[in-house]
Amino acid sequence: MNTLFLALALVAVAGWITSTLNLKVRALEDKADRLERRLGLVLEHFGIEEPEPAGMDEVRALVREGRTVSAIKVYRQITGAGLAEAKRAVDALEAVGAPAAAQG
């Protein structure tokens, strides 16, 4: 009986810790998103454009060849982006026809 009670208590504590950590991580992600938006506004205000990561020519070439999955993989490698962000970026390149060089 004591073992069962101890096991239930451990499960409850583990659940509480997991829940608390998830809330804190979400709060930090939200804060990072807000800071990123603010930084974007500051850069825009001063007319500063973010430099294009090295290797984007390879991503564009893969998009032109119709190799979307490979393009996403390379984009993630050169930028450190997550899967969803990389897919959006590659989809945007596909939508504009993946020009050979950055427009700017």
Side-chain angles (χ1 to χ4, degrees):
M1 184 70 174
N2 286 339
T3 306
L4 178 61
F5 178 73
L6 182 59
L8 288 174
L10 287 174
V11 168
V13 168
W16 175 76
I17 290 172
T18 301
S19 174
T20 301
L21 288 175
N22 282 339
L23 289 173
K24 290 185 184 243
V25 166
R26 182 65 190 151
L28 288 172
E29 287 173 342
D30 290 345
K31 188 172 186 175
D33 288 344
R34 286 191 306 273
L35 288 171
E36 203 168 287
R37 281 193 300 273
R38 288 177 181 170
L39 179 58
L41 291 172
V42 169
L43 292 174
E44 183 180 319
H45 176 77
F46 288 105
I48 300 170
E49 291 187 28
E50 187 175 348
E52 184 176 82
M56 284 301 293
D57 288 337
E58 180 182 359
V59 174
R60 282 190 201 88
L62 290 167
V63 168
R64 282 191 301 273
E65 294 169 10
R67 298 174 55 198
T68 304
V69 174
S70 295
I72 292 170
K73 182 178 179 182
V74 171
Y75 186 89
R76 291 185 71 192
Q77 288 172 346
I78 65 175
T79 65
L83 180 60
E85 181 183 348
K87 183 172 182 339
R88 283 191 301 270
V90 169
D91 287 347
L93 287 174
E94 287 176 332
V96 297
Q103 303 292 322

